[in-house]
Amino acid sequence: MIKRISLILLSSLLLLTGCLNRDKLQKEEEVVKKKGKTEEKAIITGEIKTGEKYYRSIVPFEPGGARGLIKYGVDNRLDINEFELGLMRIAQDDFSTDKYYYQEGQYLSSTTVNNWLKRADEKVEKNSKTDMTQKGLNPALGVKKDAPYKQVLDAEDKHPKYLSYVLEQNYLVQSGNDKVKLGGLVVGLSFNSTYYYKATDSSGLIYNGSKKLQASDVAQEARQMGQQVVKRLRQNSSLKNVPITIALYQEAEKESVTPGHFFAKAEAGAGSTQLGSWDKIDEKYYLFPSKEATANKRDDAEKFNNFKSKIQDYFPNYVGVIGKAHYHDGSLDRLDIDIPMQFQGKAEVISFTQYVTSSVMKELPNVPVTINIQSAVNEPEALIVRDDGSGEPNVHIYR
């Protein structure tokens, strides 16, 4: 049964289920303008009721020190999104959404992040605004870049760059009198799955190469880098006495249609320069339908295929149904589905959306589900969201 269908303007649609009070938002804006940017004074945003837990944030917004830099380090857009949101999920293990508030990282500047991504024997950019060591975290190449190209290619293959990005997130806590202070730091380290490199000969010709990185080698390098990062963060006097969590992320291949995953995390208690033991993170994305999903997650794959068949049998036009399933500790915990197709009118959209919604209840596993129905030109037509595994979906139809 469809819980509700609403026709609303695209410009006013909130993709998160649940509504914000417009008057309250306007009132908060007036308070911010009136008080200005007072040291440590903050307005905490209201909580949005959704199936997933999200941190409330702080007003006024403070851009991160390395804002926008991630797109130059991580190739796959899916990885960028998963790296950031997944790091927030991991943060919830140590910093409760009921007590802590999210803020973009304020302590790692673009210069520091760029320097850390370099090789240990590369020249770094001077950064007089921090006491943190700036030396590159990736393995030294061992030869000069102007060495004979074959020598450079050989060195690149033997000593690949593992680390591709460093992402910082701050978690604030109230300290009384409407003030907040830093309560914890979470830093994600993202690692290449394949390292791409190149060398230039004396004639200016460019030679490209690549090396698939073994998971065991990545894990070994990642743990060592994580420990170095904690020691460097403690060099900042503002970070000496806050708990720090380091999480390690394995990127997917450039062309992958599913993102990578986090594989380990460790914590350093307040004041400590040493990480505790590494905890394994067991999570993975599967594409539905796919041979890999059928081989490793047969029951869920069969349910998805039954759902797909029903959808395709309903409509005379070809309907593509593609799912992205997230597994945690071996169990399915979220399913996102895209359904692109060609419609001949809005009445068809409504009828089709009704059928898809009823099929969600009957055919799909009992987990949170999001379904995006799109036209052939990638225009959104409808959004179906089931926030929990057993509840009735909420539906929005665009017009």
Side-chain angles (χ1 to χ4, degrees):
M1 180 176 106
I2 301 175
K3 187 174 182 180
R4 61 185 173 94
I5 297 181
S6 58
L7 292 169
I8 59 178
L9 293 174
L10 174 60
S11 61
S12 63
L13 175 66
L14 282 173
L15 295 181
L16 293 173
T17 58
C19 299
L20 290 173
N21 184 299
R22 183 178 178 85
D23 294 334
K24 183 176 180 181
L25 280 178
Q26 291 177 336
K27 182 178 179 181
E28 288 183 349
E29 286 183 6
E30 291 170 0
V31 171
V32 173
K33 291 176 183 177
K34 183 178 180 181
K35 291 187 176 181
K37 190 177 180 181
T38 308
E39 184 181 2
E40 287 193 322
K41 283 287 183 180
I43 293 176
I44 300 167
T45 59
E47 184 179 0
I48 299 176
K49 299 296 183 181
T50 68
E52 296 182 81
K53 288 186 177 180
Y54 291 105
Y55 286 98
R56 289 180 287 170
S57 55
I58 301 297
V59 177
F61 171 75
E62 292 286 347
R67 187 185 185 200
L69 189 64
I70 189 171
K71 61 180 178 288
Y72 300 107
V74 181
D75 293 320
N76 191 323
R77 181 68 217 185
L78 295 174
D79 273 324
I80 293 176
N81 293 341
E82 180 61 21
F83 187 34
E84 183 174 14
L85 294 177
L87 197 59
M88 288 183 180
R89 290 198 307 268
I90 290 171
Q92 293 177 23
D93 293 338
D94 301 300
F95 309 110
S96 167
T97 56
D98 296 327
K99 180 180 178 182
Y100 291 86
Y101 314 106
Y102 171 80
Q103 185 179 51
E104 288 193 1
Q106 302 294 308
Y107 299 94
L108 297 181
S109 66
S110 295
T111 300
T112 295
V113 172
N114 271 324
N115 284 340
W116 285 6
L117 298 181
K118 292 182 178 181
R119 292 185 178 277
D121 56 355
E122 277 188 276
K123 183 178 180 180
V124 299
E125 183 180 347
K126 291 184 179 180
N127 189 0
S128 59
K129 296 181 179 180
T130 180
D131 294 326
M132 287 186 282
T133 300
Q134 297 293 295
K135 182 179 179 181
L137 290 167
N138 274 302
L141 184 61
V143 300
K144 293 183 178 180
K145 277 291 186 178
D146 58 357
Y149 79 93
K150 288 186 178 180
Q151 188 177 348
V152 173
L153 289 174
D154 184 61
E156 293 277 13
D157 188 74
K158 288 182 178 178
H159 309 289
K161 283 187 174 182
Y162 291 91
L163 182 66
S164 69
Y165 197 69
V166 180
L167 178 63
E168 173 202 358
Q169 293 179 350
N170 297 161
Y171 291 92
L172 311 182
V173 64
Q174 287 186 330
S175 58
N177 298 323
D178 294 327
K179 292 185 178 181
V180 293
K181 66 178 182 179
L182 182 65
L185 199 73
V186 179
V187 175
L189 306 182
S190 185
F191 296 90
N192 294 312
S193 53
T194 297
Y195 173 55
Y196 297 92
Y197 55 89
K198 60 184 178 181
T200 305
D201 68 12
S202 57
S203 302
L205 293 176
I206 297 175
Y207 299 83
N208 296 308
S210 64
K211 181 173 183 176
K212 174 71 175 176
L213 304 181
Q214 299 298 315
S216 57
D217 294 335
V218 172
Q220 181 178 347
E221 292 285 340
R223 287 175 170 84
Q224 293 175 0
M225 291 182 191
Q227 179 57 65
Q228 291 185 60
V229 167
V230 169
K231 288 184 177 180
R232 294 183 182 194
L233 291 170
R234 293 297 191 209
Q235 293 170 346
N236 185 317
S237 59
S238 299
L239 302 178
K240 286 186 178 298
N241 294 302
V242 296
I244 298 174
T245 297
I246 302 292
L248 311 178
Y249 183 83
Q250 177 66 74
E251 296 168 17
E253 296 290 349
K254 278 185 178 182
E255 304 81 10
S256 177
V257 294
T258 56
H261 60 277
F262 284 93
F263 61 91
K265 71 165 188 171
E267 293 88 34
S272 175
T273 59
Q274 297 294 320
L275 284 170
S277 59
W278 288 96
D279 295 327
K280 180 182 177 182
I281 299 176
D282 180 11
E283 64 176 21
K284 182 177 174 61
Y285 278 93
Y286 284 92
L287 179 69
F288 284 171
S290 68
K291 291 181 179 179
E292 184 184 23
T294 300
N296 297 321
K297 303 294 178 184
R298 180 173 295 276
D299 289 345
D300 293 334
E302 287 180 354
K303 290 179 181 178
F304 180 86
N305 288 336
N306 290 337
F307 170 78
K308 178 183 176 182
S309 296
K310 285 205 169 188
I311 301 304
Q312 290 177 330
D313 290 342
Y314 173 82
F315 217 65
N317 295 358
Y318 170 76
V319 182
V321 183
I322 302 170
K324 184 178 69 175
H326 181 261
Y327 285 80
H328 183 74
D329 290 335
S331 298
L332 178 66
D333 70 354
R334 190 174 71 254
L335 182 59
D336 299 320
I337 299 174
D338 290 324
I339 304 179
M341 64 171 299
Q342 185 174 356
F343 295 100
Q344 299 301 322
K346 190 57 66 175
E348 286 187 0
V349 173
I350 296 173
S351 176
F352 181 71
T353 302
Q354 289 173 327
Y355 183 75
V356 172
T357 305
S358 63
S359 297
V360 168
M361 302 292 291
K362 297 176 182 177
E363 304 296 339
L364 292 179
N366 293 325
V367 297
V369 175
T370 300
I371 300 178
N372 290 290
I373 299 175
Q374 301 172 318
S375 68
V377 291
N378 291 326
E379 288 292 329
E381 296 288 352
L383 175 67
I384 303 169
V385 178
R386 183 174 69 184
D387 280 330
D388 58 52
S390 58
E392 297 172 353
N394 290 305
V395 181
H396 292 296
I397 295 179
Y398 302 81
R399 70 175 183 186

